[in-house]
PDB file of all heavy atoms in Angstrom:
ATOM      1  N   GLY E  25      -4.596   2.350  -1.740  1.00 98.00           N
ATOM      2  CA  GLY E  25      -3.491   1.618  -1.265  1.00 98.00           C
ATOM      3  C   GLY E  25      -2.489   2.473  -0.387  1.00 98.00           C
ATOM      4  O   GLY E  25      -2.733   3.638  -0.176  1.00 98.00           O
ATOM      5  N   PHE E  26      -1.542   1.703   0.066  1.00 98.00           N
ATOM      6  CA  PHE E  26      -0.357   2.396   0.861  1.00 98.00           C
ATOM      7  C   PHE E  26       0.939   1.924   0.288  1.00 98.00           C
ATOM      8  O   PHE E  26       1.105   0.807  -0.165  1.00 98.00           O
ATOM      9  CB  PHE E  26      -0.532   1.904   2.256  1.00 98.00           C
ATOM     10  CG  PHE E  26       0.655   2.226   3.214  1.00 98.00           C
ATOM     11  CD1 PHE E  26       0.746   3.575   3.736  1.00 98.00           C
ATOM     12  CD2 PHE E  26       1.754   1.429   3.424  1.00 98.00           C
ATOM     13  CE1 PHE E  26       1.848   3.899   4.481  1.00 98.00           C
ATOM     14  CE2 PHE E  26       2.780   1.782   4.198  1.00 98.00           C
ATOM     15  CZ  PHE E  26       2.937   2.912   4.763  1.00 98.00           C
ATOM     16  N   TYR E  27       1.889   2.900   0.241  1.00 98.00           N
ATOM     17  CA  TYR E  27       3.182   2.694  -0.342  1.00 98.00           C
ATOM     18  C   TYR E  27       4.309   3.186   0.647  1.00 98.00           C
ATOM     19  O   TYR E  27       4.156   4.270   1.133  1.00 98.00           O
ATOM     20  CB  TYR E  27       3.357   3.383  -1.679  1.00 98.00           C
ATOM     21  CG  TYR E  27       4.667   3.380  -2.275  1.00 98.00           C
ATOM     22  CD1 TYR E  27       5.151   2.183  -3.009  1.00 98.00           C
ATOM     23  CD2 TYR E  27       5.638   4.367  -2.092  1.00 98.00           C
ATOM     24  CE1 TYR E  27       6.362   2.173  -3.533  1.00 98.00           C
ATOM     25  CE2 TYR E  27       6.884   4.350  -2.699  1.00 98.00           C
ATOM     26  CZ  TYR E  27       7.199   3.202  -3.424  1.00 98.00           C
ATOM     27  OH  TYR E  27       8.520   3.163  -4.005  1.00 98.00           O
ATOM     28  N   TYR E  28       5.391   2.441   0.760  1.00 98.00           N
ATOM     29  CA  TYR E  28       6.485   2.752   1.652  1.00 98.00           C
ATOM     30  C   TYR E  28       7.794   2.446   0.889  1.00 98.00           C
ATOM     31  O   TYR E  28       7.980   1.488   0.332  1.00 98.00           O
ATOM     32  CB  TYR E  28       6.425   1.947   2.893  1.00 98.00           C
ATOM     33  CG  TYR E  28       7.617   2.050   3.846  1.00 98.00           C
ATOM     34  CD1 TYR E  28       7.545   3.319   4.694  1.00 98.00           C
ATOM     35  CD2 TYR E  28       8.704   1.262   3.930  1.00 98.00           C
ATOM     36  CE1 TYR E  28       8.668   3.554   5.555  1.00 98.00           C
ATOM     37  CE2 TYR E  28       9.682   1.502   4.828  1.00 98.00           C
ATOM     38  CZ  TYR E  28       9.661   2.652   5.635  1.00 98.00           C
ATOM     39  OH  TYR E  28      10.717   2.896   6.503  1.00 98.00           O
ATOM     40  N   PHE E  29       8.685   3.489   1.072  1.00 98.00           N
ATOM     41  CA  PHE E  29      10.013   3.281   0.486  1.00 98.00           C
ATOM     42  C   PHE E  29      11.215   3.732   1.474  1.00 98.00           C
ATOM     43  O   PHE E  29      11.023   4.828   2.159  1.00 98.00           O
ATOM     44  CB  PHE E  29      10.089   4.281  -0.729  1.00 98.00           C
ATOM     45  CG  PHE E  29      11.532   4.417  -1.402  1.00 98.00           C
ATOM     46  CD1 PHE E  29      11.937   3.677  -2.291  1.00 98.00           C
ATOM     47  CD2 PHE E  29      12.343   5.533  -0.989  1.00 98.00           C
ATOM     48  CE1 PHE E  29      13.265   3.839  -2.894  1.00 98.00           C
ATOM     49  CE2 PHE E  29      13.631   5.653  -1.509  1.00 98.00           C
ATOM     50  CZ  PHE E  29      13.985   4.858  -2.507  1.00 98.00           C
ATOM     51  N   ASP E  30      12.115   2.949   1.561  1.00 98.00           N
ATOM     52  CA  ASP E  30      13.264   3.308   2.514  1.00 98.00           C
ATOM     53  C   ASP E  30      14.606   2.874   1.785  1.00 98.00           C
ATOM     54  O   ASP E  30      14.780   1.902   1.223  1.00 98.00           O
ATOM     55  CB  ASP E  30      13.097   2.440   3.777  1.00 98.00           C
ATOM     56  CG  ASP E  30      14.347   2.791   4.779  1.00 98.00           C
ATOM     57  OD1 ASP E  30      14.169   3.790   5.301  1.00 98.00           O
ATOM     58  OD2 ASP E  30      15.168   2.105   4.882  1.00 98.00           O
ATOM     59  N   SER E  31      15.500   4.004   1.772  1.00 98.00           N
ATOM     60  CA  SER E  31      16.728   3.852   1.020  1.00 98.00           C
ATOM     61  C   SER E  31      17.908   4.290   2.002  1.00 98.00           C
ATOM     62  O   SER E  31      17.749   5.388   2.534  1.00 98.00           O
ATOM     63  CB  SER E  31      16.693   4.665  -0.293  1.00 98.00           C
ATOM     64  OG  SER E  31      17.930   4.677  -0.972  1.00 98.00           O
ATOM     65  N   LYS E  32      18.959   3.643   1.832  1.00 98.00           N
ATOM     66  CA  LYS E  32      20.302   4.029   2.475  1.00 98.00           C
ATOM     67  C   LYS E  32      21.312   3.859   1.527  1.00 98.00           C
ATOM     68  O   LYS E  32      21.598   2.885   0.996  1.00 98.00           O
ATOM     69  CB  LYS E  32      20.461   3.128   3.777  1.00 98.00           C
ATOM     70  CG  LYS E  32      19.447   3.360   4.834  1.00 98.00           C
ATOM     71  CD  LYS E  32      19.684   2.266   6.045  1.00 98.00           C
ATOM     72  CE  LYS E  32      18.696   2.591   7.184  1.00 98.00           C
ATOM     73  NZ  LYS E  32      17.310   2.517   6.796  1.00 98.00           N
ATOM     74  N   LEU E  33      22.092   5.058   1.244  1.00 98.00           N
ATOM     75  CA  LEU E  33      23.028   5.064   0.236  1.00 98.00           C
ATOM     76  C   LEU E  33      24.300   5.675   0.807  1.00 98.00           C
ATOM     77  O   LEU E  33      24.289   6.796   1.335  1.00 98.00           O
ATOM     78  CB  LEU E  33      22.535   5.975  -0.928  1.00 98.00           C
ATOM     79  CG  LEU E  33      23.507   6.344  -1.963  1.00 98.00           C
ATOM     80  CD1 LEU E  33      24.030   5.150  -2.696  1.00 98.00           C
ATOM     81  CD2 LEU E  33      22.874   7.337  -2.922  1.00 98.00           C
ATOM     82  N   VAL E  34      25.439   5.067   0.718  1.00 98.00           N
ATOM     83  CA  VAL E  34      26.719   5.494   1.137  1.00 98.00           C
ATOM     84  C   VAL E  34      27.592   5.687  -0.034  1.00 98.00           C
ATOM     85  O   VAL E  34      27.891   4.686  -0.777  1.00 98.00           O
ATOM     86  CB  VAL E  34      27.435   4.524   2.185  1.00 98.00           C
ATOM     87  CG1 VAL E  34      28.721   5.124   2.622  1.00 98.00           C
ATOM     88  CG2 VAL E  34      26.462   4.415   3.421  1.00 98.00           C
ATOM     89  N   ILE E  35      28.224   6.810  -0.330  1.00 97.00           N
ATOM     90  CA  ILE E  35      28.986   7.190  -1.465  1.00 97.00           C
ATOM     91  C   ILE E  35      30.275   7.710  -1.092  1.00 97.00           C
ATOM     92  O   ILE E  35      30.336   8.659  -0.206  1.00 97.00           O
ATOM     93  CB  ILE E  35      28.302   8.084  -2.479  1.00 97.00           C
ATOM     94  CG1 ILE E  35      27.027   7.479  -2.904  1.00 97.00           C
ATOM     95  CG2 ILE E  35      29.170   8.491  -3.588  1.00 97.00           C
ATOM     96  CD1 ILE E  35      26.316   8.452  -3.869  1.00 97.00           C
ATOM     97  N   THR E  36      31.448   7.272  -1.644  1.00 96.00           N
ATOM     98  CA  THR E  36      32.700   7.765  -1.434  1.00 96.00           C
ATOM     99  C   THR E  36      33.242   8.420  -2.563  1.00 96.00           C
ATOM    100  O   THR E  36      33.224   7.725  -3.695  1.00 96.00           O
ATOM    101  CB  THR E  36      33.709   6.747  -0.907  1.00 96.00           C
ATOM    102  OG1 THR E  36      33.199   6.350   0.362  1.00 96.00           O
ATOM    103  CG2 THR E  36      35.119   7.425  -0.681  1.00 96.00           C
ATOM    104  N   THR E  37      33.679   9.719  -2.573  1.00 95.00           N
ATOM    105  CA  THR E  37      34.265  10.305  -3.760  1.00 95.00           C
ATOM    106  C   THR E  37      35.863  10.629  -3.427  1.00 95.00           C
ATOM    107  O   THR E  37      36.133  11.074  -2.388  1.00 95.00           O
ATOM    108  CB  THR E  37      33.583  11.673  -4.078  1.00 95.00           C
ATOM    109  OG1 THR E  37      32.178  11.464  -4.378  1.00 95.00           O
ATOM    110  CG2 THR E  37      34.306  12.418  -5.190  1.00 95.00           C
ATOM    111  N   SER E  38      36.658  10.250  -4.448  1.00 94.00           N
ATOM    112  CA  SER E  38      38.088  10.327  -4.263  1.00 94.00           C
ATOM    113  C   SER E  38      38.679  11.269  -5.345  1.00 94.00           C
ATOM    114  O   SER E  38      38.779  10.829  -6.509  1.00 94.00           O
ATOM    115  CB  SER E  38      38.720   8.981  -4.378  1.00 94.00           C
ATOM    116  OG  SER E  38      38.277   8.101  -3.422  1.00 94.00           O
ATOM    117  N   PRO E  39      38.898  12.537  -4.988  1.00 92.00           N
ATOM    118  CA  PRO E  39      39.552  13.421  -5.891  1.00 92.00           C
ATOM    119  C   PRO E  39      41.104  13.163  -6.137  1.00 92.00           C
ATOM    120  O   PRO E  39      41.670  13.699  -7.154  1.00 92.00           O
ATOM    121  CB  PRO E  39      39.400  14.852  -5.326  1.00 92.00           C
ATOM    122  CG  PRO E  39      38.342  14.694  -4.285  1.00 92.00           C
ATOM    123  CD  PRO E  39      38.490  13.173  -3.751  1.00 92.00           C
ATOM    124  N   PHE E  40      41.677  12.409  -5.238  1.00 92.00           N
ATOM    125  CA  PHE E  40      43.101  11.987  -5.228  1.00 92.00           C
ATOM    126  C   PHE E  40      44.076  13.131  -4.941  1.00 92.00           C
ATOM    127  O   PHE E  40      45.081  12.784  -4.299  1.00 92.00           O
ATOM    128  CB  PHE E  40      43.458  11.319  -6.570  1.00 92.00           C
ATOM    129  CG  PHE E  40      42.670  10.030  -6.837  1.00 92.00           C
ATOM    130  CD1 PHE E  40      41.671  10.057  -7.662  1.00 92.00           C
ATOM    131  CD2 PHE E  40      43.102   8.923  -6.051  1.00 92.00           C
ATOM    132  CE1 PHE E  40      40.972   8.654  -7.825  1.00 92.00           C
ATOM    133  CE2 PHE E  40      42.337   7.772  -6.300  1.00 92.00           C
ATOM    134  CZ  PHE E  40      41.291   7.635  -7.155  1.00 92.00           C
ATOM    135  N   PHE E  41      43.799  14.368  -5.211  1.00 91.00           N
ATOM    136  CA  PHE E  41      44.792  15.403  -4.733  1.00 91.00           C
ATOM    137  C   PHE E  41      44.518  15.818  -3.270  1.00 91.00           C
ATOM    138  O   PHE E  41      45.339  16.442  -2.663  1.00 91.00           O
ATOM    139  CB  PHE E  41      44.651  16.669  -5.646  1.00 91.00           C
ATOM    140  CG  PHE E  41      43.300  17.380  -5.618  1.00 91.00           C
ATOM    141  CD1 PHE E  41      43.148  18.469  -4.798  1.00 91.00           C
ATOM    142  CD2 PHE E  41      42.241  16.940  -6.427  1.00 91.00           C
ATOM    143  CE1 PHE E  41      41.963  19.107  -4.706  1.00 91.00           C
ATOM    144  CE2 PHE E  41      41.121  17.642  -6.429  1.00 91.00           C
ATOM    145  CZ  PHE E  41      40.897  18.655  -5.670  1.00 91.00           C
ATOM    146  N   ILE E  42      43.381  15.252  -2.778  1.00 92.00           N
ATOM    147  CA  ILE E  42      43.118  15.413  -1.333  1.00 92.00           C
ATOM    148  C   ILE E  42      42.459  14.127  -0.906  1.00 92.00           C
ATOM    149  O   ILE E  42      42.031  13.304  -1.855  1.00 92.00           O
ATOM    150  CB  ILE E  42      42.190  16.613  -0.944  1.00 92.00           C
ATOM    151  CG1 ILE E  42      40.887  16.502  -1.863  1.00 92.00           C
ATOM    152  CG2 ILE E  42      42.886  17.949  -1.134  1.00 92.00           C
ATOM    153  CD1 ILE E  42      39.905  17.482  -1.486  1.00 92.00           C
ATOM    154  N   PRO E  43      42.279  13.823   0.478  1.00 93.00           N
ATOM    155  CA  PRO E  43      41.640  12.592   0.843  1.00 93.00           C
ATOM    156  C   PRO E  43      40.366  12.469   0.339  1.00 93.00           C
ATOM    157  O   PRO E  43      39.650  13.445   0.028  1.00 93.00           O
ATOM    158  CB  PRO E  43      41.936  12.642   2.482  1.00 93.00           C
ATOM    159  CG  PRO E  43      43.038  13.479   2.623  1.00 93.00           C
ATOM    160  CD  PRO E  43      43.028  14.527   1.582  1.00 93.00           C
ATOM    161  N   SER E  44      39.799  11.256   0.498  1.00 95.00           N
ATOM    162  CA  SER E  44      38.423  10.901   0.071  1.00 95.00           C
ATOM    163  C   SER E  44      37.415  11.585   1.025  1.00 95.00           C
ATOM    164  O   SER E  44      37.675  11.840   2.175  1.00 95.00           O
ATOM    165  CB  SER E  44      38.180   9.486  -0.043  1.00 95.00           C
ATOM    166  OG  SER E  44      39.186   8.846  -0.979  1.00 95.00           O
ATOM    167  N   ALA E  45      36.154  11.743   0.488  1.00 95.00           N
ATOM    168  CA  ALA E  45      35.070  12.132   1.388  1.00 95.00           C
ATOM    169  C   ALA E  45      33.905  11.169   1.153  1.00 95.00           C
ATOM    170  O   ALA E  45      33.660  10.696   0.055  1.00 95.00           O
ATOM    171  CB  ALA E  45      34.634  13.589   0.843  1.00 95.00           C
ATOM    172  N   THR E  46      33.153  10.916   2.240  1.00 96.00           N
ATOM    173  CA  THR E  46      32.162   9.949   2.257  1.00 96.00           C
ATOM    174  C   THR E  46      30.904  10.568   2.843  1.00 96.00           C
ATOM    175  O   THR E  46      30.924  11.405   3.812  1.00 96.00           O
ATOM    176  CB  THR E  46      32.457   8.712   3.162  1.00 96.00           C
ATOM    177  OG1 THR E  46      33.596   8.099   2.710  1.00 96.00           O
ATOM    178  CG2 THR E  46      31.341   7.726   3.232  1.00 96.00           C
ATOM    179  N   VAL E  47      29.738  10.364   2.111  1.00 97.00           N
ATOM    180  CA  VAL E  47      28.512  10.843   2.536  1.00 97.00           C
ATOM    181  C   VAL E  47      27.508   9.743   2.548  1.00 97.00           C
ATOM    182  O   VAL E  47      27.561   8.757   1.845  1.00 97.00           O
ATOM    183  CB  VAL E  47      28.001  12.012   1.546  1.00 97.00           C
ATOM    184  CG1 VAL E  47      28.786  13.040   1.556  1.00 97.00           C
ATOM    185  CG2 VAL E  47      27.646  11.425   0.183  1.00 97.00           C
ATOM    186  N   ARG E  48      26.601   9.908   3.437  1.00 97.00           N
ATOM    187  CA  ARG E  48      25.490   8.953   3.533  1.00 97.00           C
ATOM    188  C   ARG E  48      24.119   9.651   3.433  1.00 97.00           C
ATOM    189  O   ARG E  48      23.824  10.586   4.082  1.00 97.00           O
ATOM    190  CB  ARG E  48      25.427   8.199   4.902  1.00 97.00           C
ATOM    191  CG  ARG E  48      24.233   7.423   5.191  1.00 97.00           C
ATOM    192  CD  ARG E  48      24.191   6.586   6.497  1.00 97.00           C
ATOM    193  NE  ARG E  48      22.934   5.965   6.760  1.00 97.00           N
ATOM    194  CZ  ARG E  48      22.748   4.803   7.436  1.00 97.00           C
ATOM    195  NH1 ARG E  48      23.888   4.089   7.636  1.00 97.00           N
ATOM    196  NH2 ARG E  48      21.558   4.375   7.599  1.00 97.00           N
ATOM    197  N   HIS E  49      23.345   9.069   2.404  1.00 98.00           N
ATOM    198  CA  HIS E  49      21.963   9.641   2.262  1.00 98.00           C
ATOM    199  C   HIS E  49      20.939   8.664   2.763  1.00 98.00           C
ATOM    200  O   HIS E  49      20.975   7.468   2.500  1.00 98.00           O
ATOM    201  CB  HIS E  49      21.670   9.889   0.668  1.00 98.00           C
ATOM    202  CG  HIS E  49      22.519  10.931   0.118  1.00 98.00           C
ATOM    203  ND1 HIS E  49      22.121  12.152  -0.081  1.00 98.00           N
ATOM    204  CD2 HIS E  49      23.823  10.782  -0.471  1.00 98.00           C
ATOM    205  CE1 HIS E  49      23.049  12.817  -0.787  1.00 98.00           C
ATOM    206  NE2 HIS E  49      24.065  12.074  -1.013  1.00 98.00           N
ATOM    207  N   ASP E  50      19.976   9.189   3.487  1.00 98.00           N
ATOM    208  CA  ASP E  50      18.788   8.417   3.921  1.00 98.00           C
ATOM    209  C   ASP E  50      17.516   8.937   3.397  1.00 98.00           C
ATOM    210  O   ASP E  50      17.307  10.214   3.470  1.00 98.00           O
ATOM    211  CB  ASP E  50      18.807   8.239   5.420  1.00 98.00           C
ATOM    212  CG  ASP E  50      19.855   7.346   6.048  1.00 98.00           C
ATOM    213  OD1 ASP E  50      19.777   6.154   5.923  1.00 98.00           O
ATOM    214  OD2 ASP E  50      20.809   7.862   6.620  1.00 98.00           O
ATOM    215  N   ASN E  51      16.675   8.200   2.912  1.00 98.00           N
ATOM    216  CA  ASN E  51      15.421   8.596   2.316  1.00 98.00           C
ATOM    217  C   ASN E  51      14.357   7.736   2.664  1.00 98.00           C
ATOM    218  O   ASN E  51      14.383   6.534   2.484  1.00 98.00           O
ATOM    219  CB  ASN E  51      15.493   8.661   0.838  1.00 98.00           C
ATOM    220  CG  ASN E  51      14.276   9.207   0.014  1.00 98.00           C
ATOM    221  OD1 ASN E  51      14.126   9.121  -1.087  1.00 98.00           O
ATOM    222  ND2 ASN E  51      13.496   9.954   0.823  1.00 98.00           N
ATOM    223  N   GLU E  52      13.255   8.219   3.448  1.00 98.00           N
ATOM    224  CA  GLU E  52      12.144   7.521   3.830  1.00 98.00           C
ATOM    225  C   GLU E  52      10.860   8.266   3.308  1.00 98.00           C
ATOM    226  O   GLU E  52      10.690   9.410   3.492  1.00 98.00           O
ATOM    227  CB  GLU E  52      12.051   7.359   5.310  1.00 98.00           C
ATOM    228  CG  GLU E  52      10.922   6.461   5.801  1.00 98.00           C
ATOM    229  CD  GLU E  52      10.838   6.337   7.288  1.00 98.00           C
ATOM    230  OE1 GLU E  52      11.002   7.303   7.960  1.00 98.00           O
ATOM    231  OE2 GLU E  52      10.594   5.257   7.898  1.00 98.00           O
ATOM    232  N   THR E  53      10.087   7.494   2.497  1.00 98.00           N
ATOM    233  CA  THR E  53       8.913   7.948   1.922  1.00 98.00           C
ATOM    234  C   THR E  53       7.718   7.115   2.157  1.00 98.00           C
ATOM    235  O   THR E  53       7.868   5.825   2.182  1.00 98.00           O
ATOM    236  CB  THR E  53       9.057   8.157   0.398  1.00 98.00           C
ATOM    237  OG1 THR E  53      10.152   8.997   0.147  1.00 98.00           O
ATOM    238  CG2 THR E  53       7.815   8.690  -0.245  1.00 98.00           C
ATOM    239  N   TRP E  54       6.650   7.604   2.412  1.00 98.00           N
ATOM    240  CA  TRP E  54       5.317   6.928   2.516  1.00 98.00           C
ATOM    241  C   TRP E  54       4.190   7.661   1.790  1.00 98.00           C
ATOM    242  O   TRP E  54       4.222   8.892   1.755  1.00 98.00           O
ATOM    243  CB  TRP E  54       5.026   6.433   3.901  1.00 98.00           C
ATOM    244  CG  TRP E  54       4.652   7.622   4.895  1.00 98.00           C
ATOM    245  CD1 TRP E  54       5.419   8.263   5.558  1.00 98.00           C
ATOM    246  CD2 TRP E  54       3.272   8.091   5.113  1.00 98.00           C
ATOM    247  NE1 TRP E  54       4.749   9.224   6.375  1.00 98.00           N
ATOM    248  CE2 TRP E  54       3.444   9.110   6.054  1.00 98.00           C
ATOM    249  CE3 TRP E  54       2.105   7.939   4.531  1.00 98.00           C
ATOM    250  CZ2 TRP E  54       2.405   9.952   6.539  1.00 98.00           C
ATOM    251  CZ3 TRP E  54       0.937   8.639   5.046  1.00 98.00           C
ATOM    252  CH2 TRP E  54       1.091   9.611   5.944  1.00 98.00           C
ATOM    253  N   ALA E  55       3.276   6.882   1.230  1.00 98.00           N
ATOM    254  CA  ALA E  55       2.081   7.561   0.646  1.00 98.00           C
ATOM    255  C   ALA E  55       0.893   6.717   0.697  1.00 98.00           C
ATOM    256  O   ALA E  55       1.008   5.529   0.877  1.00 98.00           O
ATOM    257  CB  ALA E  55       2.547   7.770  -0.896  1.00 98.00           C
ATOM    258  N   VAL E  56      -0.262   7.453   0.756  1.00 98.00           N
ATOM    259  CA  VAL E  56      -1.575   6.727   0.514  1.00 98.00           C
ATOM    260  C   VAL E  56      -2.107   7.273  -0.742  1.00 98.00           C
ATOM    261  O   VAL E  56      -2.014   8.412  -0.979  1.00 98.00           O
ATOM    262  CB  VAL E  56      -2.378   6.958   1.839  1.00 98.00           C
ATOM    263  CG1 VAL E  56      -1.995   6.196   2.952  1.00 98.00           C
ATOM    264  CG2 VAL E  56      -2.550   8.426   2.131  1.00 98.00           C
ATOM    265  N   PHE E  57      -2.956   6.460  -1.418  1.00 98.00           N
ATOM    266  CA  PHE E  57      -3.408   6.890  -2.881  1.00 98.00           C
ATOM    267  C   PHE E  57      -4.760   6.143  -2.949  1.00 98.00           C
ATOM    268  O   PHE E  57      -5.121   5.069  -2.337  1.00 98.00           O
ATOM    269  CB  PHE E  57      -2.434   6.453  -3.815  1.00 98.00           C
ATOM    270  CG  PHE E  57      -2.127   4.994  -3.964  1.00 98.00           C
ATOM    271  CD1 PHE E  57      -2.910   4.163  -4.671  1.00 98.00           C
ATOM    272  CD2 PHE E  57      -0.939   4.472  -3.393  1.00 98.00           C
ATOM    273  CE1 PHE E  57      -2.559   2.811  -4.824  1.00 98.00           C
ATOM    274  CE2 PHE E  57      -0.682   3.196  -3.333  1.00 98.00           C
ATOM    275  CZ  PHE E  57      -1.471   2.253  -4.138  1.00 98.00           C
ATOM    276  N   GLY E  58      -5.501   6.746  -3.862  1.00 98.00           N
ATOM    277  CA  GLY E  58      -6.897   6.116  -4.210  1.00 98.00           C
ATOM    278  C   GLY E  58      -7.145   6.624  -5.601  1.00 98.00           C
ATOM    279  O   GLY E  58      -6.801   7.771  -5.985  1.00 98.00           O
ATOM    280  N   GLN E  59      -7.908   5.803  -6.370  1.00 98.00           N
ATOM    281  CA  GLN E  59      -8.290   6.118  -7.640  1.00 98.00           C
ATOM    282  C   GLN E  59      -9.605   5.491  -8.020  1.00 98.00           C
ATOM    283  O   GLN E  59      -9.890   4.318  -7.627  1.00 98.00           O
ATOM    284  CB  GLN E  59      -7.261   5.724  -8.694  1.00 98.00           C
ATOM    285  CG  GLN E  59      -7.628   5.976 -10.240  1.00 98.00           C
ATOM    286  CD  GLN E  59      -6.452   5.658 -11.018  1.00 98.00           C
ATOM    287  OE1 GLN E  59      -5.420   5.873 -10.856  1.00 98.00           O
ATOM    288  NE2 GLN E  59      -6.957   5.079 -12.268  1.00 98.00           N
ATOM    289  N   ALA E  60     -10.533   6.155  -8.719  1.00 98.00           N
ATOM    290  CA  ALA E  60     -11.835   5.672  -9.018  1.00 98.00           C
ATOM    291  C   ALA E  60     -12.140   5.995 -10.439  1.00 98.00           C
ATOM    292  O   ALA E  60     -11.732   7.017 -10.991  1.00 98.00           O
ATOM    293  CB  ALA E  60     -12.889   6.271  -8.038  1.00 98.00           C
ATOM    294  N   SER E  61     -12.806   5.075 -11.096  1.00 98.00           N
ATOM    295  CA  SER E  61     -13.322   5.364 -12.455  1.00 98.00           C
ATOM    296  C   SER E  61     -14.829   5.103 -12.481  1.00 98.00           C
ATOM    297  O   SER E  61     -15.399   4.135 -11.957  1.00 98.00           O
ATOM    298  CB  SER E  61     -12.649   4.379 -13.484  1.00 98.00           C
ATOM    299  OG  SER E  61     -12.881   3.094 -13.197  1.00 98.00           O
ATOM    300  N   TYR E  62     -15.529   5.965 -13.210  1.00 98.00           N
ATOM    301  CA  TYR E  62     -17.034   5.868 -13.323  1.00 98.00           C
ATOM    302  C   TYR E  62     -17.419   5.942 -14.730  1.00 98.00           C
ATOM    303  O   TYR E  62     -17.010   6.879 -15.478  1.00 98.00           O
ATOM    304  CB  TYR E  62     -17.594   6.871 -12.513  1.00 98.00           C
ATOM    305  CG  TYR E  62     -19.100   6.769 -12.450  1.00 98.00           C
ATOM    306  CD1 TYR E  62     -19.792   5.972 -11.562  1.00 98.00           C
ATOM    307  CD2 TYR E  62     -19.900   7.509 -13.293  1.00 98.00           C
ATOM    308  CE1 TYR E  62     -21.076   5.818 -11.444  1.00 98.00           C
ATOM    309  CE2 TYR E  62     -21.334   7.394 -13.168  1.00 98.00           C
ATOM    310  CZ  TYR E  62     -21.963   6.583 -12.242  1.00 98.00           C
ATOM    311  OH  TYR E  62     -23.262   6.321 -12.277  1.00 98.00           O
TER     312      TYR E  62
END
C-alpha cells in the first residue's frame, strides 16, 4: 500500500510579561509498504 499524511498546526504561546509568539508547523509524510506471510 501507500500512505500519505499532511498536517498544518498553528500555536500561539502567551507568557503575558511579553507579547505573544506564534509558530506554524507543517508536516508532510508519505510511505509505501508491503508485507507477506508464508
